[in-house]
Amino acid sequence: MTHEEFEELVPAYVLNALAPGEEMHLRAHLETCRTCAIMQQEHLETTGYLALMAPPVSPPADLKERILVEASRAPRAAPPPVRPRRRSGWARMGAAIAAAAAIVLAVVAGALGLVGYSQARELRQVLAVVGSASRTVDMSPASQDGAAGRIYIAGGDRVALVMSGLPDPGDRVYQLWLIEEGRPVPLDAFRPEAGVAAFTLRARLGPGQDMAVTLEPSAGNTAPRGPQVLST
Amino acid sequence: MTRNSESPEREDRELLLQVARGDEQAFARLYDRFAAPAFGLALKICGNRALAEDVVQEAFLSIWRKPGSYHPERGTVASYLFGAVHNKAVDAVRHEESLRRREQAFGDQPEESGQEEVVEGAWIALRRDQVRDAMRRLSPVQREALELAYFEGLTYSEVAGKLGIPLGTAKTRLRDGMIRLRNLLSGRMIGGAQ
């Protein structure tokens, strides 16, 4: 999506009138585009007035009590520290996973001509697995270039993979492999956006199984040909 | 944003900063100030009192729990707070669409206003007059698009579908409506002739 196309969506975004996939995509753009961020702030101010078009209605008295009771017992987050600079692959991954997934999904969706709801469903799946993961397995880079990957394993065979710091593959493609007893089995091929890629898959990861990411001349190889980028 | 609303805005800001520091009494005062317009907004969107109560509860508690998410330099407390309410109300209504349809079918209408003594900040009533006046000065199609998006919780593509207009036109009407509204409210368009 071009910057102009993002800009066109900002008013609708502020009105909460975007489809979930578009919203995630625009939110990622807003993190890097000052023009759109300023526009968002200006439109947000307007909604502060628009809200008043609804006639005021006094809520029941016990609502206030419920809220105050809940507040007095709720643990509060400390005001967040200044966002750390994105130095390493891990620091970058510490930032919004949702933004990362949205960028990747937007690229894939664009390539396949999918829009809207299917993006939202995939993104929700990534976040659902990450949120309910019972264990994680880290992938290490083959060289020192800052690539990082983490595998999230939720119940059964639900797996999500989130990677960052992946160099631009150019006209090659990244390929994920499941390595069972030394034998590589090809899984998903993917291209990162801004160095980030995230998706879900079904796989049982137990002892004796590893995962690796290689950089291949094309997708669909039955055995890895290119260099290894990440591995467990 | 006329001059005589600067002082209430500054008060609101100070109040929310106290809330951010964990002051429960400040939080109670914040509630008193904004509960009626917040609940009115949630009720208009959700069409269901129980749902609206949950929305208001979640919105206020999210403000309490995430003190770092309000940035005074980025906007007023009103836009921040109503933004939280609107967000949750739209989420709720998109999930509860069928419930709402059933309730309306069985005549279980939400009790709308018709209430006299509504407690809210006096300057909020002033702002309400300003925005009602400004909304009247939008073109009918801009006003209609904004109402469908903001109060019905429709996405812009649903607005386009409902009105039988292209996606681009829906986006444009929303954008132009918002720009015009902003200009009218900031006093840039004196007289405001269409």
Side-chain angles (χ1 to χ4, degrees):
Chain A
M1 225 186 239
T2 65
H3 165 76
E4 283 69 32
E5 285 168 328
F6 279 121
E7 220 179 54
E8 272 179 13
L9 293 179
V10 170
Y13 171 69
V14 159
L15 295 164
N16 288 311
L18 292 185
E22 280 177 318
E23 187 177 307
M24 288 277 139
H25 198 186
L26 179 61
R27 212 177 276 163
H29 173 76
L30 284 168
E31 293 198 2
T32 60
C33 177
R34 183 137 181 80
T35 312
C36 284
I38 290 171
M39 185 181 298
Q40 178 214 357
Q41 281 172 36
E42 290 175 347
H43 283 308
L44 190 65
E45 276 316 294
T46 310
T47 63
Y49 279 84
L50 194 51
L52 299 175
M53 284 300 292
V57 177
S58 293
D62 66 325
L63 178 63
K64 177 177 179 179
E65 194 174 314
R66 271 186 271 144
I67 291 173
L68 294 182
V69 164
E70 186 60 38
S72 68
R73 74 158 78 111
R76 301 173 71 242
V82 173
R83 189 180 270 185
R85 292 189 165 281
R86 297 178 172 187
R87 257 166 309 190
S88 68
W90 290 121
R92 201 178 302 174
M93 183 130 56
I97 287 175
I103 293 168
V104 170
L105 290 167
V107 171
V108 171
L112 299 176
L114 301 171
V115 288
Y117 199 70
S118 57
Q119 285 177 341
R121 210 183 305 130
E122 173 67 19
L123 173 62
R124 275 202 285 274
Q125 285 173 353
V126 170
L127 295 177
V129 174
V130 169
S132 59
S134 53
R135 66 188 175 101
T136 61
V137 179
D138 291 334
M139 301 183 85
S140 357
S143 64
Q144 297 299 325
D145 58 10
R150 179 169 285 176
I151 302 167
Y152 296 82
I153 301 160
D157 58 354
R158 294 168 64 224
V159 174
L161 182 51
V162 181
M163 293 158 283
S164 66
L166 295 168
D168 187 337
D171 52 12
R172 290 180 288 173
V173 71
Y174 288 103
Q175 178 84 37
L176 178 68
W177 304 88
L178 178 66
I179 312 208
E180 291 189 301
E181 282 143 24
R183 197 171 41 87
V185 174
L187 299 176
D188 301 56
F190 60 93
R191 297 179 62 83
E193 180 81 358
V196 166
F199 49 86
T200 59
L201 51 134
R202 296 217 165 250
R204 292 208 175 269
L205 288 185
Q209 285 170 319
D210 281 303
M211 278 197 164
V213 174
T214 62
L215 187 58
E216 298 292 324
S218 62
N221 290 344
T222 51
R225 281 201 218 134
Q228 197 169 88
V229 176
L230 288 169
S231 64
T232 55
Chain B
M1 292 66 142
T2 58
R3 197 165 293 131
N4 59 4
S5 70
E6 264 173 27
S7 173
E9 280 178 24
R10 221 185 346 249
E11 275 177 36
D12 284 348
R13 235 160 244 169
E14 189 44 50
L15 195 57
L16 195 48
L17 291 176
Q18 288 170 11
V19 169
R21 289 193 285 267
D23 185 338
E24 290 186 26
Q25 282 169 343
F27 185 54
R29 283 202 300 279
L30 182 76
Y31 179 86
D32 289 338
R33 206 172 269 219
F34 287 102
F39 187 63
L41 176 64
L43 191 56
K44 185 173 171 77
I45 293 171
C46 298
N48 173 315
R49 286 190 80 97
L51 210 52
E53 285 181 39
D54 285 348
V55 162
V56 168
Q57 178 165 339
E58 277 315 303
F60 274 94
L61 285 176
S62 76
I63 289 167
W64 174 254
R65 287 181 191 131
K66 287 180 274 184
S69 55
Y70 173 64
H71 303 274
E73 72 282 2
R74 287 194 202 165
T76 60
V77 171
S79 63
Y80 172 67
L81 195 148
F82 293 138
V85 172
H86 189 263
N87 209 326
K88 292 184 191 298
V90 166
D91 274 353
V93 86
R94 284 179 187 169
H95 287 114
E96 298 280 340
E97 248 303 289
S98 58
L99 170 70
R100 183 198 205 175
R101 277 198 286 262
R102 279 203 301 279
E103 289 208 343
Q104 286 177 346
F106 288 111
D108 183 12
Q109 291 295 338
E111 303 141 52
E112 289 265 353
S113 42
Q115 294 188 11
E116 320 81 33
E117 319 263 352
V118 174
V119 177
E120 61 176 4
W123 63 269
I124 291 184
L126 173 64
R127 278 188 157 199
R128 181 170 291 112
D129 288 341
Q130 288 174 339
V131 70
R132 280 192 179 146
D133 185 59
M135 283 292 275
R136 270 181 233 122
R137 294 167 193 250
L138 298 186
S139 76
V141 294
Q142 289 168 356
R143 188 166 55 241
E144 174 187 52
L146 281 182
E147 283 171 358
L148 285 174
Y150 191 76
F151 292 108
E152 300 288 319
L154 301 185
T155 63
Y156 78 89
S157 67
E158 286 168 339
V159 171
K162 182 154 187 162
L163 297 175
I165 58 179
L167 287 179
T169 305
K171 274 190 281 188
T172 300
R173 287 182 186 179
L174 289 176
R175 185 196 70 208
D176 290 350
M178 288 292 279
I179 290 172
R180 189 178 173 85
L181 201 53
R182 181 175 78 224
N183 288 342
L184 287 165
L185 291 167
S186 65
R188 273 178 237 168
M189 290 175 65
I190 303 162
Q194 285 198 24

